[in-house]
mmCIF file of all heavy atoms in Angstrom:
data_model
loop_
_atom_site.group_PDB
_atom_site.id
_atom_site.type_symbol
_atom_site.label_atom_id
_atom_site.label_comp_id
_atom_site.label_asym_id
_atom_site.label_seq_id
_atom_site.Cartn_x
_atom_site.Cartn_y
_atom_site.Cartn_z
ATOM 1 N N ARG A 42 -4.997 -7.212 8.995
ATOM 2 C CA ARG A 42 -3.941 -6.242 8.877
ATOM 3 C C ARG A 42 -4.153 -5.351 7.638
ATOM 4 O O ARG A 42 -4.010 -4.081 7.745
ATOM 5 C CB ARG A 42 -2.616 -6.860 8.727
ATOM 6 C CG ARG A 42 -1.991 -7.304 9.964
ATOM 7 C CD ARG A 42 -0.577 -7.629 9.784
ATOM 8 N NE ARG A 42 0.051 -8.027 11.069
ATOM 9 C CZ ARG A 42 1.242 -8.502 11.119
ATOM 10 N NH1 ARG A 42 2.042 -8.430 10.101
ATOM 11 N NH2 ARG A 42 1.657 -8.923 12.311
ATOM 12 N N THR A 43 -4.495 -5.944 6.544
ATOM 13 C CA THR A 43 -4.703 -5.202 5.316
ATOM 14 C C THR A 43 -5.899 -4.294 5.440
ATOM 15 O O THR A 43 -5.747 -3.117 5.009
ATOM 16 C CB THR A 43 -4.748 -6.133 4.127
ATOM 17 O OG1 THR A 43 -3.594 -6.875 3.983
ATOM 18 C CG2 THR A 43 -4.914 -5.392 2.796
ATOM 19 N N ARG A 46 -4.881 -1.417 7.476
ATOM 20 C CA ARG A 46 -3.638 -0.747 6.889
ATOM 21 C C ARG A 46 -2.709 -0.531 8.037
ATOM 22 O O ARG A 46 -2.056 0.458 8.317
ATOM 23 C CB ARG A 46 -3.926 0.590 6.312
ATOM 24 C CG ARG A 46 -4.749 0.378 5.106
ATOM 25 C CD ARG A 46 -4.596 1.486 4.088
ATOM 26 N NE ARG A 46 -5.754 1.386 3.195
ATOM 27 C CZ ARG A 46 -6.760 2.115 3.078
ATOM 28 N NH1 ARG A 46 -6.701 3.210 3.947
ATOM 29 N NH2 ARG A 46 -7.769 1.971 2.315
ATOM 30 N N SER A 47 -2.461 -1.639 8.842
ATOM 31 C CA SER A 47 -1.446 -1.655 9.850
ATOM 32 C C SER A 47 -0.794 -3.052 9.953
ATOM 33 O O SER A 47 -1.453 -3.961 9.963
ATOM 34 C CB SER A 47 -2.253 -1.292 11.139
ATOM 35 O OG SER A 47 -1.392 -1.706 12.247
ATOM 36 N N THR A 48 0.547 -2.885 10.184
ATOM 37 C CA THR A 48 1.241 -4.154 10.409
ATOM 38 C C THR A 48 1.300 -4.555 11.852
ATOM 39 O O THR A 48 2.012 -5.417 12.210
ATOM 40 C CB THR A 48 2.631 -3.942 9.741
ATOM 41 O OG1 THR A 48 3.212 -2.756 10.308
ATOM 42 C CG2 THR A 48 2.694 -3.871 8.285
ATOM 43 N N GLU A 49 0.753 -3.669 12.652
ATOM 44 C CA GLU A 49 0.793 -4.017 14.180
ATOM 45 C C GLU A 49 -0.165 -5.046 14.654
ATOM 46 O O GLU A 49 0.014 -5.591 15.681
ATOM 47 C CB GLU A 49 0.534 -2.655 14.892
ATOM 48 C CG GLU A 49 1.334 -1.398 14.432
ATOM 49 C CD GLU A 49 2.750 -1.618 14.964
ATOM 50 O OE1 GLU A 49 2.955 -1.948 16.134
ATOM 51 O OE2 GLU A 49 3.652 -1.439 14.154
ATOM 52 N N ILE A 53 1.508 -12.981 12.145
ATOM 53 C CA ILE A 53 1.269 -13.622 10.931
ATOM 54 C C ILE A 53 2.531 -14.556 10.733
ATOM 55 O O ILE A 53 3.576 -14.011 10.873
ATOM 56 C CB ILE A 53 1.202 -12.631 9.828
ATOM 57 C CG1 ILE A 53 0.033 -11.752 9.750
ATOM 58 C CG2 ILE A 53 1.278 -13.292 8.379
ATOM 59 C CD1 ILE A 53 -0.172 -10.791 8.620
ATOM 60 N N THR A 201 -4.719 -10.384 0.101
ATOM 61 C CA THR A 201 -4.354 -9.638 1.327
ATOM 62 C C THR A 201 -2.950 -9.015 1.069
ATOM 63 O O THR A 201 -2.565 -8.026 1.760
ATOM 64 C CB THR A 201 -4.303 -10.481 2.622
ATOM 65 O OG1 THR A 201 -3.434 -11.460 2.506
ATOM 66 C CG2 THR A 201 -5.654 -10.844 2.962
ATOM 67 N N VAL A 202 -2.296 -9.619 0.118
ATOM 68 C CA VAL A 202 -0.924 -9.172 -0.177
ATOM 69 C C VAL A 202 -0.924 -8.047 -1.330
ATOM 70 O O VAL A 202 -0.299 -7.023 -1.166
ATOM 71 C CB VAL A 202 0.074 -10.326 -0.379
ATOM 72 C CG1 VAL A 202 1.319 -9.839 -1.027
ATOM 73 C CG2 VAL A 202 0.193 -11.080 0.801
ATOM 74 N N LEU A 295 7.124 5.970 2.899
ATOM 75 C CA LEU A 295 6.833 4.883 3.806
ATOM 76 C C LEU A 295 5.864 5.276 4.894
ATOM 77 O O LEU A 295 4.883 4.549 5.291
ATOM 78 C CB LEU A 295 8.195 4.283 4.470
ATOM 79 C CG LEU A 295 8.957 3.490 3.417
ATOM 80 C CD1 LEU A 295 10.194 3.165 4.112
ATOM 81 C CD2 LEU A 295 8.388 2.175 2.996
ATOM 82 N N PHE A 298 2.183 5.834 3.779
ATOM 83 C CA PHE A 298 1.377 4.589 3.583
ATOM 84 C C PHE A 298 1.523 3.705 4.829
ATOM 85 O O PHE A 298 1.101 2.560 4.765
ATOM 86 C CB PHE A 298 1.902 3.896 2.325
ATOM 87 C CG PHE A 298 1.378 4.593 1.097
ATOM 88 C CD1 PHE A 298 2.175 5.515 0.427
ATOM 89 C CD2 PHE A 298 0.113 4.252 0.518
ATOM 90 C CE1 PHE A 298 1.794 6.123 -0.729
ATOM 91 C CE2 PHE A 298 -0.229 4.951 -0.503
ATOM 92 C CZ PHE A 298 0.511 5.850 -1.326
ATOM 93 N N ASN A 299 1.933 4.257 5.918
ATOM 94 C CA ASN A 299 1.982 3.521 7.117
ATOM 95 C C ASN A 299 2.832 2.327 7.214
ATOM 96 O O ASN A 299 2.483 1.299 7.774
ATOM 97 C CB ASN A 299 0.550 3.287 7.615
ATOM 98 C CG ASN A 299 0.443 3.062 9.096
ATOM 99 O OD1 ASN A 299 1.451 3.451 9.929
ATOM 100 N ND2 ASN A 299 -0.523 2.444 9.544
ATOM 101 N N PHE A 300 3.978 2.427 6.447
ATOM 102 C CA PHE A 300 4.909 1.365 6.532
ATOM 103 C C PHE A 300 6.076 1.944 7.212
ATOM 104 O O PHE A 300 6.485 3.126 6.897
ATOM 105 C CB PHE A 300 5.308 0.873 5.259
ATOM 106 C CG PHE A 300 4.237 0.032 4.392
ATOM 107 C CD1 PHE A 300 3.586 0.566 3.382
ATOM 108 C CD2 PHE A 300 4.058 -1.272 4.839
ATOM 109 C CE1 PHE A 300 2.583 -0.096 2.696
ATOM 110 C CE2 PHE A 300 3.032 -1.928 4.110
ATOM 111 C CZ PHE A 300 2.464 -1.424 3.054
ATOM 112 N N SER A 301 6.675 1.314 8.243
ATOM 113 C CA SER A 301 7.727 1.915 9.026
ATOM 114 C C SER A 301 9.152 1.354 8.639
ATOM 115 O O SER A 301 9.155 0.337 7.823
ATOM 116 C CB SER A 301 7.580 1.651 10.486
ATOM 117 O OG SER A 301 7.674 0.202 10.689
ATOM 118 N N ASP A 302 10.133 1.893 9.237
ATOM 119 C CA ASP A 302 11.597 1.380 9.034
ATOM 120 C C ASP A 302 11.631 -0.057 9.370
ATOM 121 O O ASP A 302 12.431 -0.808 8.753
ATOM 122 C CB ASP A 302 12.465 2.201 9.989
ATOM 123 C CG ASP A 302 13.159 3.305 9.288
ATOM 124 O OD1 ASP A 302 12.801 3.530 8.204
ATOM 125 O OD2 ASP A 302 14.098 3.868 9.925
ATOM 126 N N LYS A 303 10.835 -0.433 10.398
ATOM 127 C CA LYS A 303 10.874 -1.842 10.865
ATOM 128 C C LYS A 303 10.329 -2.682 9.690
ATOM 129 O O LYS A 303 10.874 -3.859 9.381
ATOM 130 C CB LYS A 303 9.993 -1.986 12.117
ATOM 131 C CG LYS A 303 10.305 -3.112 12.958
ATOM 132 C CD LYS A 303 9.462 -3.134 14.228
ATOM 133 C CE LYS A 303 8.059 -3.808 13.964
ATOM 134 N NZ LYS A 303 7.026 -3.398 14.711
ATOM 135 N N ASP A 304 9.297 -2.217 9.094
ATOM 136 C CA ASP A 304 8.714 -3.047 8.005
ATOM 137 C C ASP A 304 9.710 -3.169 6.853
ATOM 138 O O ASP A 304 9.804 -4.183 6.117
ATOM 139 C CB ASP A 304 7.435 -2.397 7.377
ATOM 140 C CG ASP A 304 6.448 -2.146 8.479
ATOM 141 O OD1 ASP A 304 6.142 -3.154 9.206
ATOM 142 O OD2 ASP A 304 5.909 -1.129 8.689
ATOM 143 N N VAL A 305 10.520 -2.084 6.635
ATOM 144 C CA VAL A 305 11.490 -2.071 5.578
ATOM 145 C C VAL A 305 12.341 -3.354 5.892
ATOM 146 O O VAL A 305 12.669 -4.031 4.893
ATOM 147 C CB VAL A 305 12.261 -0.693 5.428
ATOM 148 C CG1 VAL A 305 13.502 -0.833 4.559
ATOM 149 C CG2 VAL A 305 11.283 0.253 5.072
ATOM 150 N N ALA A 306 12.851 -3.392 7.030
ATOM 151 C CA ALA A 306 13.721 -4.488 7.367
ATOM 152 C C ALA A 306 13.042 -5.937 7.198
ATOM 153 O O ALA A 306 13.421 -6.780 6.575
ATOM 154 C CB ALA A 306 14.335 -4.349 8.845
ATOM 155 N N ILE A 307 11.812 -5.945 7.863
ATOM 156 C CA ILE A 307 11.109 -7.248 7.849
ATOM 157 C C ILE A 307 10.766 -7.671 6.372
ATOM 158 O O ILE A 307 10.814 -8.758 6.020
ATOM 159 C CB ILE A 307 9.784 -7.224 8.615
ATOM 160 C CG1 ILE A 307 10.044 -6.912 10.069
ATOM 161 C CG2 ILE A 307 8.891 -8.380 8.526
ATOM 162 C CD1 ILE A 307 8.837 -6.638 10.969
ATOM 163 N N GLN A 308 10.290 -6.611 5.677
ATOM 164 C CA GLN A 308 9.821 -6.887 4.263
ATOM 165 C C GLN A 308 10.875 -6.845 3.312
ATOM 166 O O GLN A 308 10.562 -7.003 2.071
ATOM 167 C CB GLN A 308 8.600 -6.032 3.942
ATOM 168 C CG GLN A 308 7.472 -6.151 5.039
ATOM 169 C CD GLN A 308 6.405 -5.199 4.791
ATOM 170 O OE1 GLN A 308 6.550 -4.182 3.974
ATOM 171 N NE2 GLN A 308 5.231 -5.371 5.424
ATOM 172 N N LYS A 309 12.102 -6.637 3.711
ATOM 173 C CA LYS A 309 13.229 -6.701 2.907
ATOM 174 C C LYS A 309 13.121 -5.755 1.590
ATOM 175 O O LYS A 309 13.489 -6.014 0.542
ATOM 176 C CB LYS A 309 13.567 -8.153 2.331
ATOM 177 C CG LYS A 309 13.786 -9.153 3.534
ATOM 178 C CD LYS A 309 14.353 -10.439 2.860
ATOM 179 C CE LYS A 309 14.170 -11.578 3.834
ATOM 180 N NZ LYS A 309 12.880 -12.122 4.063
ATOM 181 N N ILE A 310 12.554 -4.647 1.830
ATOM 182 C CA ILE A 310 12.549 -3.611 0.818
ATOM 183 C C ILE A 310 14.058 -3.202 0.626
ATOM 184 O O ILE A 310 14.762 -3.128 1.664
ATOM 185 C CB ILE A 310 11.788 -2.417 1.289
ATOM 186 C CG1 ILE A 310 10.274 -2.707 1.242
ATOM 187 C CG2 ILE A 310 12.000 -1.234 0.322
ATOM 188 C CD1 ILE A 310 9.407 -1.601 1.868
ATOM 189 N N PRO A 311 14.505 -3.185 -0.656
ATOM 190 C CA PRO A 311 15.988 -3.025 -0.838
ATOM 191 C C PRO A 311 16.507 -1.660 -0.331
ATOM 192 O O PRO A 311 17.037 -0.869 -1.100
ATOM 193 C CB PRO A 311 16.129 -3.194 -2.205
ATOM 194 C CG PRO A 311 14.837 -2.950 -2.887
ATOM 195 C CD PRO A 311 13.807 -3.290 -1.926
ATOM 196 N N VAL A 312 16.293 -1.423 0.909
ATOM 197 C CA VAL A 312 16.852 -0.225 1.541
ATOM 198 C C VAL A 312 17.348 -0.697 2.870
ATOM 199 O O VAL A 312 16.878 -1.433 3.590
ATOM 200 C CB VAL A 312 15.645 0.730 1.866
ATOM 201 C CG1 VAL A 312 15.954 1.800 2.767
ATOM 202 C CG2 VAL A 312 15.049 1.279 0.665
ATOM 203 N N GLN A 318 19.475 0.123 -1.531
ATOM 204 C CA GLN A 318 20.677 -0.846 -1.699
ATOM 205 C C GLN A 318 21.419 -0.525 -3.057
ATOM 206 O O GLN A 318 22.614 -0.656 -3.160
ATOM 207 C CB GLN A 318 20.410 -2.241 -1.472
ATOM 208 C CG GLN A 318 20.249 -2.551 -0.025
ATOM 209 C CD GLN A 318 19.514 -3.851 0.187
ATOM 210 O OE1 GLN A 318 19.179 -4.632 -0.702
ATOM 211 N NE2 GLN A 318 18.995 -4.003 1.447
ATOM 212 N N LEU A 408 8.113 2.729 -6.743
ATOM 213 C CA LEU A 408 7.960 2.570 -5.309
ATOM 214 C C LEU A 408 6.489 2.856 -4.986
ATOM 215 O O LEU A 408 5.919 2.245 -4.090
ATOM 216 C CB LEU A 408 9.029 3.386 -4.409
ATOM 217 C CG LEU A 408 8.845 3.406 -2.905
ATOM 218 C CD1 LEU A 408 9.080 1.977 -2.366
ATOM 219 C CD2 LEU A 408 9.724 4.305 -2.326
ATOM 220 N N LYS A 411 4.091 0.335 -5.855
ATOM 221 C CA LYS A 411 4.138 -0.786 -4.971
ATOM 222 C C LYS A 411 3.479 -0.523 -3.640
ATOM 223 O O LYS A 411 2.789 -1.376 -3.140
ATOM 224 C CB LYS A 411 5.698 -1.120 -4.666
ATOM 225 C CG LYS A 411 6.333 -1.742 -6.001
ATOM 226 C CD LYS A 411 6.257 -3.262 -5.837
ATOM 227 C CE LYS A 411 7.054 -3.829 -7.066
ATOM 228 N NZ LYS A 411 6.737 -5.293 -7.118
ATOM 229 N N LEU A 412 3.751 0.587 -3.078
ATOM 230 C CA LEU A 412 3.130 0.883 -1.775
ATOM 231 C C LEU A 412 1.728 0.978 -1.801
ATOM 232 O O LEU A 412 0.973 0.543 -0.948
ATOM 233 C CB LEU A 412 3.801 2.231 -1.186
ATOM 234 C CG LEU A 412 5.248 2.166 -0.905
ATOM 235 C CD1 LEU A 412 5.758 3.471 -0.323
ATOM 236 C CD2 LEU A 412 5.581 1.111 0.180
ATOM 237 N N HIS A 414 -0.162 -0.647 -3.737
ATOM 238 C CA HIS A 414 -0.776 -2.006 -3.974
ATOM 239 C C HIS A 414 -0.150 -3.050 -2.938
ATOM 240 O O HIS A 414 -0.294 -4.168 -3.264
ATOM 241 C CB HIS A 414 -0.634 -2.475 -5.364
ATOM 242 C CG HIS A 414 -1.428 -1.586 -6.303
ATOM 243 N ND1 HIS A 414 -2.724 -1.655 -6.374
ATOM 244 C CD2 HIS A 414 -1.070 -0.646 -7.064
ATOM 245 C CE1 HIS A 414 -3.153 -0.711 -7.202
ATOM 246 N NE2 HIS A 414 -2.153 -0.161 -7.751
ATOM 247 N N ARG A 415 0.391 -2.575 -1.896
ATOM 248 C CA ARG A 415 1.015 -3.489 -0.958
ATOM 249 C C ARG A 415 0.037 -3.619 0.254
ATOM 250 O O ARG A 415 -0.180 -2.717 1.005
ATOM 251 C CB ARG A 415 2.373 -2.989 -0.521
ATOM 252 C CG ARG A 415 3.094 -4.005 0.412
ATOM 253 C CD ARG A 415 4.517 -3.460 0.514
ATOM 254 N NE ARG A 415 5.304 -4.260 1.417
ATOM 255 C CZ ARG A 415 5.873 -5.447 1.138
ATOM 256 N NH1 ARG A 415 5.704 -5.886 -0.122
ATOM 257 N NH2 ARG A 415 6.490 -6.132 2.017
ATOM 258 N N GLY A 416 -0.507 -4.849 0.433
ATOM 259 C CA GLY A 416 -1.287 -5.061 1.663
ATOM 260 C C GLY A 416 -0.391 -5.008 2.873
ATOM 261 O O GLY A 416 0.729 -5.324 2.731
ATOM 262 N N HIS A 417 -1.009 -4.682 3.951
ATOM 263 C CA HIS A 417 -0.159 -4.688 5.104
ATOM 264 C C HIS A 417 0.220 -6.099 5.762
ATOM 265 O O HIS A 417 0.717 -6.177 6.792
ATOM 266 C CB HIS A 417 -0.837 -3.749 6.262
ATOM 267 C CG HIS A 417 -0.572 -2.281 5.861
ATOM 268 N ND1 HIS A 417 -1.224 -1.586 4.974
ATOM 269 C CD2 HIS A 417 0.459 -1.465 6.284
ATOM 270 C CE1 HIS A 417 -0.808 -0.482 4.805
ATOM 271 N NE2 HIS A 417 0.185 -0.252 5.693
ATOM 272 N N ALA A 418 -0.222 -7.051 4.942
ATOM 273 C CA ALA A 418 0.033 -8.476 5.384
ATOM 274 C C ALA A 418 1.272 -8.902 4.679
ATOM 275 O O ALA A 418 1.673 -10.029 4.936
ATOM 276 C CB ALA A 418 -1.185 -9.276 5.028
ATOM 277 N N ALA A 419 1.746 -8.122 3.574
ATOM 278 C CA ALA A 419 2.758 -8.664 2.768
ATOM 279 C C ALA A 419 3.974 -8.841 3.657
ATOM 280 O O ALA A 419 4.372 -8.104 4.394
ATOM 281 C CB ALA A 419 3.091 -7.643 1.666
ATOM 282 N N GLN A 420 4.631 -10.000 3.371
ATOM 283 C CA GLN A 420 5.848 -10.450 4.210
ATOM 284 C C GLN A 420 6.958 -10.551 3.198
ATOM 285 O O GLN A 420 8.146 -10.699 3.629
ATOM 286 C CB GLN A 420 5.577 -11.737 4.853
ATOM 287 C CG GLN A 420 4.406 -11.809 5.656
ATOM 288 C CD GLN A 420 4.580 -11.473 7.069
ATOM 289 O OE1 GLN A 420 5.357 -12.165 7.763
ATOM 290 N NE2 GLN A 420 4.048 -10.423 7.510
ATOM 291 N N ASP A 421 6.795 -10.560 1.965
ATOM 292 C CA ASP A 421 7.785 -10.801 1.005
ATOM 293 C C ASP A 421 8.684 -9.589 0.652
ATOM 294 O O ASP A 421 8.166 -8.444 0.924
ATOM 295 C CB ASP A 421 7.311 -11.444 -0.336
ATOM 296 C CG ASP A 421 6.249 -10.573 -0.926
ATOM 297 O OD1 ASP A 421 5.663 -9.760 -0.270
ATOM 298 O OD2 ASP A 421 6.308 -10.560 -2.214
ATOM 299 N N ALA A 422 9.814 -9.788 -0.032
ATOM 300 C CA ALA A 422 10.462 -8.586 -0.489
ATOM 301 C C ALA A 422 9.790 -7.769 -1.447
ATOM 302 O O ALA A 422 9.204 -8.203 -2.343
ATOM 303 C CB ALA A 422 11.829 -9.037 -0.947
ATOM 304 N N LEU A 423 10.014 -6.482 -1.329
ATOM 305 C CA LEU A 423 9.409 -5.468 -2.232
ATOM 306 C C LEU A 423 10.576 -5.119 -3.254
ATOM 307 O O LEU A 423 11.516 -4.460 -2.767
ATOM 308 C CB LEU A 423 8.952 -4.277 -1.531
ATOM 309 C CG LEU A 423 8.301 -3.148 -2.288
ATOM 310 C CD1 LEU A 423 7.135 -3.566 -3.112
ATOM 311 C CD2 LEU A 423 7.867 -2.102 -1.323
ATOM 312 N N HIS A 424 10.403 -5.485 -4.418
ATOM 313 C CA HIS A 424 11.574 -5.279 -5.387
ATOM 314 C C HIS A 424 11.366 -3.954 -6.076
ATOM 315 O O HIS A 424 10.416 -3.897 -6.873
ATOM 316 C CB HIS A 424 11.655 -6.391 -6.421
ATOM 317 C CG HIS A 424 12.013 -7.731 -5.814
ATOM 318 N ND1 HIS A 424 13.235 -7.954 -5.204
ATOM 319 C CD2 HIS A 424 11.270 -8.795 -5.554
ATOM 320 C CE1 HIS A 424 13.246 -9.222 -4.614
ATOM 321 N NE2 HIS A 424 11.989 -9.700 -4.825
ATOM 322 N N VAL A 425 12.162 -3.027 -5.751
ATOM 323 C CA VAL A 425 12.103 -1.779 -6.426
ATOM 324 C C VAL A 425 13.310 -1.274 -6.953
ATOM 325 O O VAL A 425 13.526 -0.154 -7.427
ATOM 326 C CB VAL A 425 11.475 -0.569 -5.385
ATOM 327 C CG1 VAL A 425 10.032 -0.653 -5.266
ATOM 328 C CG2 VAL A 425 12.231 -0.675 -4.203
#
Side-chain angles (χ1 to χ4, degrees):
R42 275 195 185 180
T43 299
R46 289 205 200 109
S47 162
T48 49
E49 302 291 308
I53 293 182
T201 58
V202 169
L295 289 173
F298 287 91
N299 205 17
F300 290 106
S301 68
D302 263 9
K303 202 175 84 204
D304 303 312
V305 170
I307 294 171
Q308 300 175 351
K309 301 192 195 74
I310 293 176
V312 167
Q318 279 165 14
L408 173 68
K411 287 271 181 187
L412 293 177
H414 293 290
R415 185 171 175 82
H417 283 80
Q420 307 267 296
D421 60 330
L423 176 58
H424 297 291
V425 281

